[in-house]
Amino acid sequence: MRLQKYMAKCGIASRRKSEKIILDNRVKVNNKIINELGYKVDINKDTVSVDDKKIFLEEEKVYILLNKPTGYVTTVSDQFNRPTVIDLIEGVNQRIYPVGRLDYDTSGLLILTNDGDLTYKLTHPKHEVNKTYVSKVKGVPTQEEINRFENGLIIDGYKTSKASIKILRKFNNKSLVEIKIHEGRNRQVRKMCKEIGHPVVTLKRVAIGTIELGNLEVGKWRKLTEKEVDYLKKKKTL
Ligand code: URA
């Protein structure tokens, strides 16, 4: 591979800028300064350094949106040998992992990536992104219960921050609700629904910020579009 291309792939700079770095005598291949543009490196054998610091190929970043079925764990491996969401992603060579988690019995939108910076950003408690869930709950919440849900409930000794719950449909003794929260504590939606007296029967995440599950089939995945990735990377307060 040409030296400047290799440097760009290692995330040092663009190819153009890498050429300048080469011409500035800052690059060594196997400990020898190389200032020839287009010098060929063997990516398996040669050691390349810039300013005497060894450089490494960056793995290509990959961003996946999965419609998680229930009955799968969102860890990379499971102590009880239950199926994991990674089992559903075939044809991706990079080592990816889920961003945040969904319960074993929750379905819906799950992002998987090998981009640690984005994962950190999306799961940082300070700027957790808005998440939308559709849930079937027992009974039909009253206006008073809805107000309590939205204004903050005490769960496990903390007060939940602003959230919303909207009734989409009423059945005999159940209702379908849309819930939006922007925190991500353990089993938070389930605990909040239970707290207002309407335990969750089924739970599905349908959106993270403006990224929607749409009509992707259960168990199927797609790559996030460039626009979706940019949106997630750029968002400051999510
Ligand atoms: N809240 C829950 O209770 N469970 C999930 O899987 C996600 C959010």
Side-chain angles (χ1 to χ4, degrees), residues 146 149-150 161-166 178-181 192:
I146 289 174
F149 188 101
E150 297 194 331
S161 61
K162 281 233 170 301
S164 80
I165 180 166
K166 195 167 92 189
E178 182 194 78
I179 290 169
K180 287 183 195 280
I181 62 169
M192 288 175 77

Side-chain angles (χ1 to χ4, degrees), residues 61-63 97 99 113-120 229 233:
K61 297 284 185 272
V62 58
Y63 305 90
Y97 49 84
V99 177
T113 185
N114 56 348
D115 184 339
D117 292 339
L118 186 69
T119 302
Y120 176 78
V229 174
K233 284 186 180 170

Side-chain angles (χ1 to χ4, degrees), residues 16-226:
R16 182 73 53 79
K17 283 201 180 131
S18 295
E19 289 178 355
K20 176 150 191 319
I21 297 172
I22 295 169
L23 294 176
D24 285 345
N25 293 324
R26 291 168 57 194
V27 182
K28 287 180 182 166
V29 179
N30 303 326
N31 255 335
K32 214 176 110 209
I33 291 180
I34 298 292
N35 61 5
E36 172 196 334
L37 298 180
Y39 182 89
K40 288 269 172 55
V41 286
D42 182 332
I43 60 169
N44 296 313
K45 287 200 196 128
D46 292 333
T47 303
V48 180
S49 57
V50 175
D51 298 334
D52 287 322
K53 261 179 84 180
K54 193 174 173 202
I55 65 171
F56 300 91
L57 272 182
E58 272 191 354
E59 204 179 38
E60 194 189 336
K61 297 284 185 272
V62 58
Y63 305 90
I64 281 169
L65 185 161
L66 169 73
N67 187 350
K68 176 195 176 295
T70 57
Y72 282 77
V73 290
T74 49
T75 45
V76 174
S77 66
D78 182 54
Q79 60 182 130
F80 304 114
N81 250 343
R82 291 175 296 183
T84 89
V85 288
I86 304 293
D87 299 336
L88 295 165
I89 316 289
E90 273 176 15
V92 173
N93 296 323
Q94 291 91 332
R95 283 166 67 93
I96 51 167
Y97 49 84
V99 177
R101 55 187 299 282
L102 285 180
D103 298 332
Y104 182 72
D105 39 3
T106 300
S107 64
L109 196 167
L110 184 71
I111 293 175
L112 300 105
T113 185
N114 56 348
D115 184 339
D117 292 339
L118 186 69
T119 302
Y120 176 78
K121 194 178 158 185
L122 289 180
T123 53
H124 194 285
K126 274 218 175 105
H127 11 93
E128 283 249 12
V129 61
N130 238 320
K131 294 168 203 106
T132 309
Y133 297 85
V134 170
S135 176
K136 198 179 272 179
V137 297
K138 282 203 180 145
V140 181
T142 63
Q143 190 56 50
E144 194 267 328
E145 288 161 345
I146 289 174
N147 293 346
R148 283 181 52 222
F149 188 101
E150 297 194 331
N151 294 328
L153 300 161
I154 306 290
I155 283 171
D156 298 338
Y158 74 91
K159 187 168 182 218
T160 59
S161 61
K162 281 233 170 301
S164 80
I165 180 166
K166 195 167 92 189
I167 299 173
L168 301 175
R169 273 176 74 182
K170 294 177 188 172
F171 306 98
N172 272 350
N173 50 5
K174 290 193 189 79
S175 45
L176 196 67
V177 295
E178 182 194 78
I179 290 169
K180 287 183 195 280
I181 62 169
H182 64 86
E183 297 170 297
R185 296 177 201 258
N186 192 25
R187 297 180 81 81
Q188 182 165 347
V189 171
R190 291 173 196 275
K191 287 177 182 169
M192 288 175 77
C193 290
K194 192 163 174 221
E195 183 61 29
I196 58 162
H198 299 280
V200 162
V201 180
T202 63
L203 183 60
K204 176 178 173 184
R205 181 156 68 194
V206 294
I208 294 184
T210 59
I211 297 175
E212 293 182 351
L213 185 61
N215 49 15
L216 187 66
E217 268 178 62
V218 178
K220 298 276 188 256
W221 60 274
R222 66 167 174 88
K223 288 204 171 154
L224 287 182
T225 64
E226 233 171 83

